Structure formats: structure tokens, C-alpha cells
Amino acid sequence: MKVFFNGDYLEKDQVSVSPDDRGFVFADGVYEVMRWYGDHFLGFAAHQKRLLRSLAEVRIEWPAAYKLEVITSELIRLNQLQKQDALFYLQVTRGAAKRNHVFPLPSIIPTVYATTTAFIPNSAAVEAGIAVISLPDERWLRCDIKSIALLPNILAKQKASEAGAQEAFFIRNGIFTEGSHSNVFFVMNGVVYTHPESGAILSGITRNIAISLCRELSIPVVEEGFIASSLDMADEIFISNTSGEIIPVVSMDGQPVSGGKPGIVTKRLQETFQRYALIANA
Ligand code: PDD
């Protein structure tokens, strides 16, 4: 598999990252994930914008010589993914320097690593829905930055996995914020509720597309966090992320949601999303 590493396209096993890399030592970096639909990326411009925003927020400068359009198209070509589903992963760290919390001076070149991997959508989850658990949100308040520091997310997802569930929903101050690797939505009396953009969530590209598609379908959307103690009143629950698009939730903490089956609003949005994602330049 060919990967991008600091300006070169290499076989993955030829990449060597310094043990002094601040990504390795401090998780001092950011990342992006995009889905390739065989002939186009969904939301390329939005992902690029979010990457640049994450970088600016953590004060890492994107090397001007690297063009995201070129990196993505070269990796798709070199890995012969032109007609397949794939995931693109890119991570940028502050670079390698002697361990010191303060930014290195003189400034160093960031480490940029990107891969494309053939991807098979999880059709069982998409069709039948998933089980989730809820957990206290113990993360920092800059979840809007797509940081590679994902320890709380990993621990949450591991707990979910050990409970036989596929996602963990975080609760902060009695309100559902987001999932360990997804945004979360609740449908109540025909209205879709999702946490507003803030430091408490990542502004998901899939979330934002889902909100616009709801509006096109005249499904009312309220950007308000759902109150955890009102869970019994939720008629449907679903999650969104780049790899899964829209995935129904059919149980939470062992209790069935929407009778243990994907809900009607969820299904309608999911089908609309699937059609939208196939449109090139979406
Ligand atoms: N994760 N919230 C969190 C904490 C996430 O990690 C993700 C995505 C999302 C959804 O964002 P988007 O719709 O832009 O994918 C929300 C990616 C896919 C990952 O870490 O693999």
C-alpha cells in the first residue's frame, strides 16, 4: 500500500516516524477522515476547511507545498481505488523535536501522513441498527478540534464493545453531546434534536449534511442537546459519521429504542443521504 509521508509517496513499511515526533510523545496533532465513493469524495471542501481550522486552532502550519487535492488523487491512483469505496485518513503533527511542552524554536516542519484504504460499509449496522451505551463525558472542552488525542473516545468505545454495543454516547451536565466517533440525533414527535456546534462536540461533516437534508425534507431540526433524563420520550435515535453515514440506534443501555427497529424518520433520512452521497461534487 502506498502512503503519503512528508511530501513523498512510499510503501507503508518504508515510513519511519521519529520517536521524538510530538504526535507520538504528546498526541500534538490533528486529523481528518473522508470517504471516497469510487469516483468522488463526499464533502471534500468541508473536510478541507475543518482540517485548516483544526490546524489554526492548535497553531500548526500546513506546509504550503502540499496540496490536499493532489495528495488524495495520487493516493487513490497509486492504490487503484478509482472504482471502489475507500477511506482517506490524514494526520498532521507539530513535528519532531526534543521533548519540551513549549513549541519548538526555531519552528519545525510538521509531520504529514496520509493513507487511503479500501472500505466495505458495515451494511448490518446501516440496515438493522446498532446498540449503544451512555457514559459521562470526561473529555476536554475543545472537542471541536479534530485532535489525535482520543484516549477518552477509545476508552468509551472499548466499554461499549465490552458491553456488546457499537457506540458510546457521552453525557455532559445531563445532556447528550456526541458519540465516541459520531454525532448523535434524537427524534421526538417528528422533530430531530442534535447538540449545537460548540466546544462540546466535533462539527461533523455528516452531521451538517444530515441537517441540510432534513430541512430539504421539511423535517424540523432543533440544534439543542437532548436531555438524558428524557430518553424515554425519544421515538428514534441515530448517529452520523463519515464511514457509516446515518446509522439507526435500536437499543440504549440495554433498553430497546423505537421498538428495537430503525425508526421511520431515520430510514427516510438515511435513504436520502445515500442518494445524496452518490452525487459527485456533493
Ligand atoms: N470520527 N464526533 C466525533 C468525536 C468523531 O470522531 C467523529 C468522526 C464525528 C463525526 O464527524 P464526521 O461526520 O465529520 O465524520 C463526530 C471519524 C470518522 C473517525 O475518527 O474515524
Side-chain angles (χ1 to χ4, degrees), residues 21-257:
D21 194 279
R22 291 174 63 101
F24 180 57
V25 176
F26 290 127
D28 183 1
V30 301
Y31 76 108
E32 264 305 324
V33 181
M34 283 195 281
R35 181 162 161 187
W36 170 254
Y37 285 81
D39 57 2
H40 68 282
F41 284 102
L42 179 61
F44 183 94
H47 281 281
Q48 185 170 38
K49 188 170 165 203
R50 186 173 67 183
L51 170 67
L52 295 176
R53 180 182 181 278
S54 292
L55 287 167
E57 292 296 322
V58 301
R59 297 163 62 191
I60 294 176
E61 209 169 313
W62 174 257
Y66 303 165
K67 304 287 174 226
L68 195 59
E69 293 82 350
V70 177
I71 298 172
T72 48
S73 58
E74 274 301 279
L75 285 180
I76 293 292
R77 189 181 66 79
L78 291 167
N79 293 302
Q80 289 156 18
L81 292 164
Q82 288 91 341
K83 291 193 174 72
Q84 286 183 57
D85 275 356
L87 286 180
F88 171 77
Y89 175 82
L90 175 128
Q91 113 164 22
V92 186
T93 75
R94 202 176 303 281
K98 183 170 178 293
R99 188 179 186 281
N100 183 348
H101 287 61
V102 173
F103 295 173
L105 259 183
S107 60
I108 50 171
I109 299 167
T111 304
V112 181
Y113 173 67
T115 61
T116 44
T117 323
F119 163 72
I120 300 166
N122 181 350
S123 52
V126 170
E127 292 299 318
I130 57 167
V132 306
I133 60 165
S134 60
L135 291 174
D137 197 340
E138 291 168 341
R139 302 172 304 156
W140 71 335
L141 285 169
R142 291 309 311 273
C143 298
D144 56 310
I145 299 170
K146 206 161 167 54
S147 156
I148 59 170
L150 289 171
L151 200 44
N153 306 59
I154 289 164
L155 294 175
K157 175 83 194 222
Q158 180 62 24
K159 269 199 182 153
S161 173
E162 287 167 4
Q166 288 76 45
E167 178 58 308
F169 280 23
F170 291 121
I171 301 173
R172 193 191 291 277
N173 300 328
I175 294 196
F176 287 109
T177 52
E178 63 178 341
S180 74
H181 66 304
S182 62
N183 291 110
V184 300
F185 297 74
F186 298 80
V187 186
M188 188 171 65
N189 300 328
V191 178
V192 173
Y193 293 83
T194 193
H195 199 285
E197 287 185 328
S198 75
I201 66 158
L202 180 74
S203 174
I205 306 305
T206 323
R207 168 194 184 275
N208 301 339
I209 297 173
I211 291 173
S212 353
L213 293 178
C214 280
R215 298 208 164 115
E216 276 178 31
L217 293 169
S218 303
I219 300 169
V221 184
V222 178
E223 291 188 57
E224 224 171 72
F226 199 81
I227 298 167
S229 60
S230 304
L231 187 63
D232 286 354
M233 285 152 73
D235 302 316
E236 302 179 27
I237 304 177
F238 62 89
I239 64 167
S240 72
N241 66 16
T242 292
S243 52
E245 301 176 337
I246 306 292
I247 297 188
V249 170
V250 293
S251 90
M252 158 90 75
D253 295 328
Q255 298 302 312
V257 171

